[in-house]
Amino acid sequence: MEKLILVKYGELTTKKDNRNYFINALVKTIENKLNNINYRIEKDYYRMFIYADDVDMVLPKIQGIFGIHELVIAYKIINNDISNICESVCNILNDVTFNSFKIETNRSDKKYPIRSNDISRMVGAHVLKNFNSVKVDVHNPDVLMNVEIRREAVYLYYEKYSGMKGYPVGTMGKALLMLSGGIDSVVAGYLTMKRGVCLDFLYFESIPHTSIEARNKVISLANLLYNYGNMGKLYVVNFTKIQEYIYKNMKSEYLITFMRRMMYRIAEDIAKKTHSIAIVNGENIGQVASQTLTSIHVVNEVTNYPIIRPLATYEKLEIIDVAKKIGSYDISILPYEDCCTVFVPKHPVINPKLDLIYEEEKNFDFNLIDEALNNIMVITIPTIQKTNNEYL
Ligand code: ATP
Ligand code: MG
């Protein structure tokens, strides 16, 4: 009897023509996570089988991978004789504490001479004979033992773990995530990765108005996202001169609107040059003045790039729930100022007018954008951490 992990694919099962592409991407992701473990992978159209010296060590390493529907610890037997199946089930149950059980059989090998219901009945009877005080409970058993009869082998399993669902990261191309240190953008990144998109990251800083700690916080968040996906690049843009210019020279109620239009322009340029085919951010309809639908409209107007806003319709509490689940919340609430919070006008406009924006932007010094684009700091994710919260 050989112990292994049986991987049931997630939504990729619906992708008929591209199925092998998705499965191979999943294999690659799993291989990356298991780089210092002795293992072997076999795969077919429906499942993946991971053999390892220590299967229990493999499980936690791959539980966070997108594209997996369910992970099952299974026991494989080659001799499919019914008496061997009965014995093997009892051997497995010897290590389990239980009062009630149910046997469920699935026979994909239709040539096997005994029908599924009969197999369940025979195995169940054998368990009752070998374990004194246990009973069958078909509705709510302590142990649900699956017997899967396949042509090449029989798989026995009762331990199942929910997978992360979604698509393997990378199968849907690459996007650029606007990553601030706040709660929202990292959650937006996580949800986008779940749909199979791999990410690069973009952070605008305004040193000396914002701190190195604020940058380190963003690096920590990018590293956290790496655990769910791919290696990537974090582009750090020095936004100080642009912000100061807007602050000194442009209409103050529109300060955030102008800032965000400049951010989008820069984001589009970086995305294009680095082969990202979309921009992702944590915007949410109505969360703040700069995110009314009108504001989103006039800011979006500077680019033709697809802007993905996974959190557009979320409640803040729903966003916080995800942040806590993925472990970003405690990092995000560290109290370092972001460039958007340093320069907040007293009365930000909630219905910005495009005519006025065009008029004001006629005088904007667009050389500042080129200058920012020519001085980008690039940080590779994952980053080697030097000390507790220090990276560079
Ligand atoms: P978060 O929304 O992540 O909590 P925030 O609330 O400070 O951060 P908002 O003002 O709500 O940010 O901005 C909306 C979105 O714009 C963010 O979710 C993020 O995607 C992007 N953004 C804002 N500030 C920055 C920044 N300094 N660098 C990169 N992206 C930013
Ligand atoms: Mg926000």
Side-chain angles (χ1 to χ4, degrees), residues 180 182-185 260 282-284 287-288 290-291 311 316 319:
S180 70
I183 295 169
D184 302 344
S185 46
R260 298 193 65 77
E283 284 175 336
N284 172 272
Q287 189 184 80
V288 285
S290 60
Q291 291 169 39
L311 305 181
K316 191 74 188 186
I319 301 172

Side-chain angles (χ1 to χ4, degrees), residues 186-206:
V186 57
V187 172
Y190 167 84
L191 293 174
T192 308
M193 282 174 144
K194 184 171 180 181
R195 300 313 294 165
V197 177
C198 76
L199 295 178
D200 279 337
F201 312 95
L202 168 60
Y203 170 58
F204 296 92
E205 66 179 4
S206 278

Side-chain angles (χ1 to χ4, degrees), residues 239-308:
F239 207 53
T240 313
K241 283 189 183 166
I242 295 173
Q243 262 190 313
E244 287 177 349
Y245 182 97
I246 296 172
Y247 191 64
K248 279 186 201 134
N249 302 300
M250 298 172 82
K251 196 171 167 53
S252 76
E253 292 88 340
Y254 278 63
L255 205 145
I256 303 278
T257 315
F258 292 128
M259 258 171 51
R260 298 193 65 77
R261 283 170 66 92
M262 303 309 162
M263 279 184 175
Y264 269 37
R265 288 177 168 118
I266 292 172
E268 184 192 279
D269 192 89
I270 295 175
K272 268 187 187 153
K273 285 182 183 146
T274 56
H275 313 291
S276 275
I277 52 174
I279 293 166
V280 183
N281 68 34
E283 284 175 336
N284 172 272
I285 299 170
Q287 189 184 80
V288 285
S290 60
Q291 291 169 39
T292 61
L293 207 51
T294 319
S295 293
I296 290 176
H297 175 82
V298 301
V299 170
N300 204 147
E301 193 253 358
V302 299
T303 175
N304 285 324
Y305 242 60
I307 311 286
I308 314 289

Side-chain angles (χ1 to χ4, degrees), residues 84-152:
N84 188 43
I85 296 175
C86 289
E87 276 309 308
S88 303
V89 167
C90 287
N91 283 341
I92 296 167
L93 290 177
N94 267 333
D95 294 333
V96 185
T97 312
F98 68 106
N99 294 315
S100 60
F101 73 100
K102 178 184 177 185
I103 309 288
E104 212 163 78
T105 304
N106 180 299
R107 185 179 55 130
S108 66
D109 176 11
K110 297 296 177 208
K111 291 210 179 102
Y112 192 77
I114 312 173
R115 294 217 317 249
S116 297
N117 280 345
D118 296 333
I119 297 170
S120 296
R121 224 173 14 81
M122 291 162 90
V123 175
H126 197 74
V127 173
L128 287 171
K129 211 167 82 191
N130 280 270
F131 293 82
N132 281 334
S133 54
V134 303
K135 60 180 188 342
V136 172
D137 182 344
V138 291
H139 299 297
N140 193 20
D142 294 341
V143 173
L144 171 60
M145 177 64 78
N146 290 79
V147 177
E148 234 183 78
I149 314 267
R150 291 163 68 98
R151 196 166 312 155
E152 78 281 3

